[in-house]
Amino acid sequence: MSVFWDFCEFFWLTFLLLAPMLLLGLLLAGLIHVFISREAVLRWFRREGLSAVTTSAAIGVPMPLCSCSVVPIVAEMRRKGASRSACMSFLITAPETGADSILVTNAFFGPVVAITRPIVSFLTAIATGLAWIWLSKTAADPLSSDSQVEHVEEGSPQHRNNCEDDYPRHIALFTDRDDCYVSARELRPICAAWLRRVFSRIAFLRSVPTAVKASEESATAETSNLSFTSILRHVLRYGFVEIADDILFALLVGIALGGLLYFALPADLMANEYANWLAYPIMVLIGLPLYICASASTPIAAALVAKGVSPGAALVFLMTGPATNTGTIAIIVSTFGARFASIYVAGVIVVTIALGLVVDFALILAGLSISVKLDVSDSPAILAIQWVGAFALIGLVVWRFQAGALKSGFADMLVNLRPVGRRVAGWRRR
C-alpha cells in the first residue's frame, strides 16, 4: 500500500507542476489558430529549398498538434501546392513541440531544456527536409499522387483516427471560409465596438471617435456575424475543447507511465557504462511505436532522467515518441508514399540520436547537470497558482471526459497499439 500512496503522491505532484503551464498552452493554441493565417503560411511553402524547409519547421514549432492530427493538415498543405520537403519539416516540428509542451517541459526541467527541445526539433526538421531534397527526384513528384487522399476537415471525426461519431466537429468561425483567421483589420472595429459597449455601460464613455466609427461601419458587412465575444469563444473552444480532447487522455496515461517507471526502475539503472550507450537506441525502440503527444511524453522523460538516464537520451524519447508511431507512419505511407515515410522516420531517428549525443557531450564539457523538478514550489504565490491550475485542469478533464474525450482517447490508443500487437503476435509465431 505504501507504494500505491507513493505513486499517488507522484501523480499529484506531477499534476501540480504541469497544470498551469498546460492550461496556458491550450490558450496559446487557440490564439495561434485564430490569429495566424493559413494562406500566409502556405505562401512560404511552395518551393523545394532551404527557405521553405526552414519556414515550415519554424511555424510547426509552436503548433500544438499530435502526430495523427498533423497529417490531414499537411495533406491539405500539399494539395494547395506546398512542397514535399516543407511538408516533411512541418510533420516533424508540429507534433514534437508545441506551445503547451514547451511550457510543460519548463515546468519539469527548467528553461534550458525548454529552449533546447524546440531547437533540437527545429534542427531535426531542417536536416530531414534537406535530406529529402537530396535523396528524392523532385522532378518526378506529381501532385496527382496526392489526389487519392480524401479531404479531411480539421477537427472532424475523420480528422482523428478513431472516427467516433460523437466527437465534436470543428465549428468554423466564418461560414464562408475554411480558415478561422481574423486579421488585424477585422479585429480593430470589433474590439472598438466591444470597448464602446463596455465603457458605455460603466458611464465612462458615451461616444467613440469618428474615425473608429467609420472603420467600424466599413467592416460591418464583412464582420456582421462576428463579435469580440464570438472570437474569444472560438479561441477557448479550439484550445480547451478540440486540442484538449486530443491530449488529455494521453497526458494522464503519460503521467501514470512516468510514475510506474519512476518506481519500477532501479536507482542504479545507469551504473553500468554500457547502459549509457544503450540508452539511445532503447529510447528509439520505446518511442518509435508509442502513440503519445508531446506534453504526455514529458512526465515519462522526467521519470527517466530522475532514474539516471542522460538528458540527451531522454531527448531522443521526447522527439521520437510524439513524431512517430505505427498509425501515423501508415497514414504517411498512404498519403506521401513509402520513400517519403522511410526518409521521415530515418531522419527523425538519426538526427535526434546525433543531437542527443551532442547535448550530453556539451553538458559534460560545460560541467553542467540537468535536474528534474518533481517537487512543488516553496513560493506561496507559485504554489497557489499550481493548486488553482490543478483544480481547473481537473474540472477540464471531468468536463471533457463526460463529453466523450475519454472514449475517443481510449479508442485512439487502441487504434495505435493494434499494429504493434499484431507485430508482436507475428514474432511469437516465428
Side-chain angles (χ1 to χ4, degrees):
M1 288 299 294
S2 62
V3 175
F4 172 76
W5 289 116
D6 289 341
F7 172 82
C8 292
E9 182 183 8
F10 176 91
F11 193 97
W12 175 246
L13 292 178
T14 302
F15 207 80
L16 280 176
L17 286 171
L18 65 85
M21 295 298 182
L22 181 64
L23 293 174
L24 179 59
L26 293 176
L27 177 61
L28 291 176
L31 294 173
I32 289 170
H33 174 69
V34 172
F35 296 112
I36 294 182
S37 170
R38 183 187 305 169
E39 292 298 329
V41 168
L42 290 177
R43 282 200 297 267
W44 296 89
F45 292 167
R46 298 190 181 279
R47 294 184 179 180
E48 297 277 8
L50 179 61
S51 61
V53 170
T54 303
T55 304
S56 60
I59 292 174
V61 166
M63 294 295 181
L65 300 170
C66 67
S67 57
C68 291
S69 64
V70 73
V71 175
I73 296 174
V74 173
E76 180 66 18
M77 289 167 51
R78 178 62 182 158
R79 275 190 291 269
K80 290 185 176 181
S83 64
R84 286 183 179 247
S85 57
C87 291
M88 180 174 288
S89 61
F90 188 84
L91 269 172
I92 292 173
T93 56
E96 284 185 346
T97 58
D100 54 340
S101 63
I102 293 173
L103 292 173
V104 171
T105 304
N106 179 71
F108 279 101
F109 295 98
V112 174
V113 178
I115 295 173
T116 302
R117 181 176 186 176
I119 291 175
V120 170
S121 177
F122 180 72
L123 295 176
T124 303
I126 292 177
T128 308
L130 294 179
W132 165 261
I133 296 175
W134 181 56
L135 295 173
S136 66
K137 298 178 180 178
T138 56
D141 185 19
L143 282 172
S144 59
S145 62
D146 294 327
S147 60
Q148 300 175 356
V149 182
E150 182 184 358
H151 176 72
V152 181
E153 182 185 357
E154 181 184 353
S156 67
Q158 291 79 13
H159 182 201
R160 300 167 62 88
N161 274 349
N162 59 321
C163 301
E164 291 288 337
D165 294 334
D166 58 353
Y167 184 75
R169 293 177 179 272
H170 178 71
I171 300 176
L173 186 58
F174 301 96
T175 57
D176 57 344
R177 303 186 207 170
D178 293 332
D179 197 358
C180 296
Y181 168 67
V182 178
S183 66
R185 182 175 63 86
E186 294 171 323
L187 187 63
R188 182 172 178 266
I190 294 171
C191 291
W194 180 75
L195 289 173
R196 182 184 179 186
R197 290 194 302 270
V198 171
F199 283 118
S200 63
R201 288 176 182 176
I202 59 176
F204 285 138
L205 189 64
R206 296 295 181 182
S207 61
V208 293
T210 306
V212 174
K213 288 183 179 180
S215 63
E216 182 179 338
E217 292 172 358
S218 65
T220 299
E222 192 169 353
T223 60
S224 57
N225 296 324
L226 206 60
S227 65
F228 183 83
T229 304
S230 64
I231 294 175
L232 179 60
R233 187 182 299 115
H234 190 80
V235 168
L236 296 177
R237 174 182 169 78
Y238 185 81
F240 292 94
V241 174
E242 298 182 29
I243 297 298
D245 284 2
D246 275 341
I247 70 173
L248 286 180
F249 180 80
L251 181 68
L252 296 180
V253 172
I255 297 174
L257 288 176
L260 291 175
L261 288 173
Y262 184 78
F263 290 105
L265 295 177
D268 58 348
L269 174 66
M270 306 306 293
N272 192 314
E273 66 174 298
Y274 294 106
N276 292 320
W277 295 106
L278 289 175
Y280 300 95
I282 290 174
M283 291 301 102
V284 172
L285 293 176
I286 295 175
L288 191 62
L290 187 63
Y291 175 68
I292 191 168
C293 67
S295 296
S297 64
T298 309
I300 300 176
L304 292 170
V305 174
K307 286 299 182 178
V309 175
S310 68
L315 193 63
V316 172
F317 173 77
L318 286 175
M319 297 295 104
T320 56
T324 60
N325 63 74
T326 53
T328 301
I329 294 171
I331 298 173
I332 293 175
V333 169
S334 64
T335 305
F336 295 98
R339 183 183 182 88
F340 183 95
S342 300
I343 296 175
Y344 169 80
V345 175
V348 170
I349 293 174
V350 173
V351 179
T352 53
I353 288 179
L355 292 177
L357 289 168
V358 170
V359 168
D360 282 339
F361 279 120
L363 290 174
I364 293 173
L365 292 176
L368 300 175
S369 60
I370 299 297
S371 59
V372 182
K373 300 178 184 178
L374 295 176
D375 295 320
V376 296
S377 175
D378 296 329
S379 170
I382 296 177
L383 186 59
I385 293 174
Q386 290 176 338
W387 276 84
V388 171
F391 280 109
L393 186 56
I394 290 173
L396 179 65
V397 170
V398 173
W399 174 47
R400 296 318 307 156
F401 278 11
Q402 288 180 341
L406 175 61
K407 181 180 178 181
S408 60
F410 183 72
D412 274 343
M413 184 180 68
L414 292 181
V415 167
N416 286 277
L417 289 178
R418 195 173 294 126
V420 179
R422 284 198 293 263
R423 188 166 298 177
V424 172
W427 291 340
R428 287 181 177 178
R429 293 191 191 101
R430 295 176 187 176

